[in-house]
Amino acid sequence: MTDSANTPTPLSDADRDELRRQGILLTSLEELYNWGRSHSVWPLQFGLACCAIEMIAASMARFDIARFGSEVFRPSPRQADLLIVSGTVTKKMAPQVVRLWNQMPEPKYCIAMGACAISGGPFKQGYNVLKGIDRYIPVDVYIPGCPPRPEALLNGLMTLQEKIRGQKLTGPNAPRHLRADDACEYPVPEFGETDLVPPTNPEVWQPPTIVRPDKP
Amino acid sequence: MTNSPIVALHGTPAVAGGNAPSEICHSPLAPGGAHVRSVRDEFHGDLLEVSMGPHHPSTHGVFRMIATLDGETIVKLKPVFGYLHRNHEKIGENTTYLGSMPYTDRLDYLCSMTNNWAYALAVEKLAGQPVPERTEYLRVILAELTRLLNHTCLAGFLLQDTGASGTPLMYAFREREKILDLFEALSGSRMMCNYQRFGGCRVDASPEWLEAAKRLADGYNEFLDEYEALITGNEILMARTQGVGVMPRQLAVSAGITGPMLRAAGVDYDIRKVDGYGVYPRFNFRVPLGDHGDTYDRYMIRVLEMRESIEILRQAFAQLPSGPIMDPKAKIRGFKPKPGEAYGRIEGPKGEIGFYLISDGGANPYRYRVRPPSFINLTVLEDMCLGHSIADAVIILGSIDIVLGEVDR
């Protein structure tokens, strides 16, 4: 939609309200598509550690993730849209997590729930702990906490829904699954001599550059 | 007969060739106990190796079972651990004594309060640190609340494993939230309480908190009655659990099983009675014992234990003395116990949770070892599963009550 000559003039809110009063709803295909997708995000029933218990708690009566259309936890990655990495990813488990991510069909999203999934958390200094799942797969929403409360997970889910609603169907900002040239298979790490090989996936993760202010 | 080997879902073919002679899988732990004859003739065909996990909805985390099946019957089961090995013990050796306290929360993440207590008990033994009486009572109250929490969750998850998807777990988590509210009000965190200290505890319980806890304990029997009316007499549950996963008494003792699993096999061993740690000798309570050692017994033992926990809670609220919660001589900063070793253990909800510490006089323990109940209880999984179907293995695993944070550490 970059060609401004073809873009129709948008309706004003007053016009829309008037049409709605007459029983006419106007929307774009993009909006409708994203609205539908954002309210039916099915997570993978996949628990790793402590955060998984809070994930279960979020799907239970008090927090009721069903209000957001995400109560359908699917045991199979083939039916899931959302991978909630809920807990510590160890080096033994990381290949499995990446494989599960590869098995999920596009469009798919990933939430890193808890300090361990983000960075290794309290176990970061451990020899067997992956220092963040974003080294191998692209993460959409990070939820800090150890473990995050169920409300935090709901907030993360709402953030993800907002992100989905903002996605464009065409153009250079189209999401990964609409771009033909983008990789949909992520390399699964293997056990090397001392560490996972490769230690990171450079396409999704680069070591952070530390910018220090110049000394006065 | 077809001679094509069935390729296992994971790795190498399960059984090479279809005409191998019949074999008997003997369990090393049960002399003369459970054994299954697997015959491979033209009626039975090949064995199939199925890898369940580490991603499987019924494995309670990232546990993997490699089951060899004859039809649907398990003839061999190999557990694979280590998918959640978080270097707990190594980190414990590189952290100060107090610094390990938050890590113990994350061992068995359903029962952080009892883990805290076991660790505090070990360090207090090491340092010869006395504990004020009010703290002892608070510890008992929190440990019994944790037992309620853990057993309630177990009952929910067990029913989830049998296929009663959702509803029993919803009931269980409704009660869990009430207990977590209490924990949060007291310690500031729902799950990771980090509450105990060496020679006391972190914050005192307010009268309002005690009132709320008392209300919860008084109302808990009502919930149990409701839950039992729904579940205990349920015909499907009985058919799925009675006679399934029988653990003989001798096997339970020789394999070092503790906790509700041991008592379900009929062995009267409860560390609250045996050691009498804390102020438990002052309470009047019974130890429920099973007589079949099957999955149904393990479920019932937990329900009965919850009822006893409510009794303990009532007595503890009635006897709770006032006073300090922290020993005035307790050292928080610069805590360095004299060289020596100590083993502190308590009866956690899953069994004997113990911490073994060796001090060389420094600020960090020289050796820090956890005795995790659910890991040791898990060692008899194969013996209980042999001869049962693969669907029963899921229930048997659920009745062991494992938490992977503790199994793999």
Side-chain angles (χ1 to χ4, degrees):
Chain A
M1 297 288 172
T2 47
D3 193 358
S4 59
N6 289 340
T7 315
T9 31
L11 281 174
S12 70
D13 285 349
D15 289 345
R16 277 190 185 223
D17 283 348
E18 180 55 33
L19 283 168
R20 194 170 292 140
R21 267 194 292 280
Q22 305 293 332
I24 298 169
L25 291 174
L26 282 186
T27 183
S28 65
L29 185 62
E30 186 176 273
E31 233 170 88
L32 185 69
Y33 177 72
N34 285 339
W35 171 79
R37 281 194 317 127
S38 69
H39 288 94
S40 58
V41 180
W42 288 6
L44 183 65
Q45 187 177 356
F46 173 59
L48 279 170
C50 333
C51 293
I53 306 292
E54 290 296 64
M55 187 176 79
I56 297 168
S59 69
M60 289 298 147
R62 184 184 283 191
F63 300 102
D64 196 12
I65 205 170
R67 293 175 292 157
F68 303 90
S70 296
E71 80 279 19
V72 198
F73 280 83
R74 302 312 295 181
S76 164
R78 301 287 184 204
Q79 302 164 344
D81 307 314
L82 169 64
L83 177 69
I84 303 177
V85 184
S86 52
T88 319
V89 186
T90 59
K91 287 179 182 168
K92 188 169 180 177
M93 193 61 199
Q96 264 65 266
V97 178
V98 179
R99 193 167 291 135
L100 282 171
W101 174 252
N102 280 341
Q103 285 172 347
M104 283 166 60
E106 290 276 8
K108 57 190 172 187
Y109 303 94
C110 176
I111 288 181
M113 181 181 183
C116 290
I118 295 174
S119 69
F123 300 96
K124 184 164 182 148
Q125 49 180 313
Y127 50 85
N128 193 32
V129 175
L130 188 70
K131 284 137 194 80
I133 190 61
D134 54 0
R135 291 173 181 230
Y136 288 114
I137 59 179
V139 175
D140 292 285
V141 179
Y142 297 87
I143 307 173
C146 190
R149 299 174 59 88
E151 292 98 321
L153 178 61
L154 295 181
N155 186 35
L157 186 66
M158 285 156 74
T159 313
L160 181 69
Q161 287 180 336
E162 222 162 273
K163 185 171 178 173
I164 295 173
R165 277 197 294 272
Q167 284 185 335
K168 299 271 177 257
L169 291 186
T170 50
N173 294 329
R176 194 172 52 235
H177 67 283
L178 294 174
R179 292 198 302 258
D181 54 332
D182 225 33
C184 50
E185 283 275 319
Y186 290 80
V188 178
E190 286 171 0
F191 301 120
E193 203 167 313
T194 54
D195 202 351
L196 288 173
V197 180
T200 61
N201 179 2
E203 279 181 27
V204 295
W205 190 82
Q206 294 289 339
T209 47
I210 300 169
V211 183
R212 296 186 196 284
D214 293 330
K215 282 178 189 164
Chain B
M1 80 176 267
T2 56
N3 227 347
S4 60
I6 295 172
V7 177
L9 300 182
H10 238 278
T12 51
V15 175
N19 280 330
S22 61
E23 63 178 43
I24 297 174
C25 303
H26 260 298
S27 150
L29 281 169
H35 65 268
V36 177
R37 178 181 287 272
S38 74
V39 187
R40 266 161 281 150
D41 54 23
E42 55 189 308
F43 299 112
H44 285 79
D46 294 331
L47 299 185
L48 177 71
E49 195 175 83
V50 176
S51 169
M52 280 178 77
H55 163 64
H56 191 276
S58 73
T59 55
H60 294 236
V62 282
F63 175 61
R64 180 169 161 212
M65 297 187 273
I66 301 175
T68 311
L69 302 178
D70 181 6
E72 272 202 50
T73 312
I74 295 175
V75 294
K76 196 174 161 219
L77 192 140
K78 190 179 153 212
V80 183
F81 310 113
Y83 288 99
L84 196 58
H85 175 54
R86 303 194 276 198
N87 335 114
H88 182 92
E89 291 176 2
K90 196 68 201 165
I91 290 175
E93 286 163 17
N94 294 320
T95 332
T96 56
Y97 285 90
L98 189 59
S100 287
M101 186 63 86
Y103 284 101
T104 62
D105 290 333
R106 288 153 182 85
L107 268 179
D108 172 359
Y109 33 79
L110 284 170
C111 327
S112 58
M113 287 289 191
T114 45
N115 296 345
N116 283 177
W117 188 4
Y119 180 58
L121 196 71
V123 179
E124 281 155 10
K125 260 189 183 175
L126 190 66
Q129 171 71 51
V131 180
E133 203 177 357
R134 186 177 170 84
T135 303
E136 292 281 19
Y137 273 92
L138 282 177
R139 285 180 177 182
V140 167
I141 290 170
L142 291 167
E144 295 307 322
L145 282 175
T146 308
R147 203 178 311 278
L148 290 179
L149 165 81
N150 181 69
H151 288 356
T152 308
C153 285
L154 171 108
F157 282 125
L158 185 64
L159 267 291
Q160 176 98 349
D161 287 343
T162 57
S165 183
T167 313
L169 195 58
M170 291 248 183
Y171 277 82
F173 267 68
R174 184 189 66 191
E175 298 306 310
R176 175 183 181 262
E177 292 292 341
K178 291 180 190 167
I179 299 175
L180 288 192
D181 281 349
L182 288 177
F183 285 177
E184 191 182 2
L186 190 61
S187 74
S189 175
R190 279 159 55 87
M191 281 174 74
M192 308 301 175
C193 299
N194 185 13
Y195 180 68
Q196 308 295 350
R197 291 290 177 264
F198 313 132
C201 55
R202 199 153 49 96
V203 277
D204 199 359
S206 65
E208 295 80 28
W209 188 90
L210 288 168
E211 196 51 47
K214 210 181 288 178
R215 261 204 311 279
L216 180 122
D218 286 339
Y220 218 82
N221 261 327
E222 208 173 297
F223 158 70
L224 285 179
D225 290 342
E226 183 192 19
Y227 198 80
E228 279 209 87
L230 282 171
I231 305 296
T232 303
N234 186 299
E235 209 171 311
I236 301 172
L237 181 80
M238 287 190 191
R240 290 292 307 274
T241 55
Q242 286 184 348
V244 170
V246 175
M247 185 169 56
R249 191 179 300 194
Q250 195 195 348
L251 170 68
V253 174
S254 59
I257 307 299
T258 48
M261 273 186 75
L262 179 69
R263 293 193 284 277
V267 183
D268 185 6
Y269 183 79
D270 188 322
I271 300 171
R272 290 177 290 179
K273 292 277 191 195
V274 174
D275 272 13
Y277 60 92
V279 285
Y280 272 115
R282 297 184 199 175
F283 301 124
N284 196 4
F285 66 100
R286 296 171 299 172
V287 179
L289 295 178
D291 43 19
H292 298 97
D294 57 0
T295 306
Y296 190 75
D297 270 9
R298 288 196 280 277
Y299 160 73
M300 273 317 291
I301 286 286
R302 267 128 183 166
V303 174
L304 294 172
E305 269 192 13
M306 279 197 268
R307 296 198 186 272
E308 292 304 315
S309 288
I310 296 167
E311 285 308 308
I312 297 174
L313 279 171
R314 281 190 183 140
Q315 295 170 42
F317 286 130
Q319 299 175 14
L320 181 71
S322 57
I325 53 158
M326 198 76 195
D327 189 51
K329 284 181 188 156
K331 223 174 165 190
I332 297 286
R333 296 197 185 281
F335 178 77
K336 281 181 187 168
K338 58 186 183 305
E341 56 180 355
Y343 178 65
R345 61 174 191 172
I346 67 165
E347 178 74 29
K350 293 182 167 66
E352 173 184 339
I353 166 111
F355 287 83
Y356 176 64
L357 299 165
I358 301 179
S359 164
D360 57 357
N364 304 348
Y366 172 74
R367 178 80 174 97
Y368 172 97
R369 154 89 186 145
V370 189
R371 186 223 186 265
S374 51
F375 173 59
I376 293 167
N377 290 355
L378 192 56
T379 51
V380 289
L381 178 67
E382 184 181 18
D383 301 82
M384 292 196 289
C385 287
L386 288 184
H388 291 295
S389 73
I390 183 99
D392 289 338
V394 170
I395 305 176
I396 294 169
L397 180 70
S399 74
I400 297 178
D401 193 9
I402 59 165
V403 161
L404 265 295
E406 187 180 73
V407 171
D408 292 338
R409 281 159 287 151

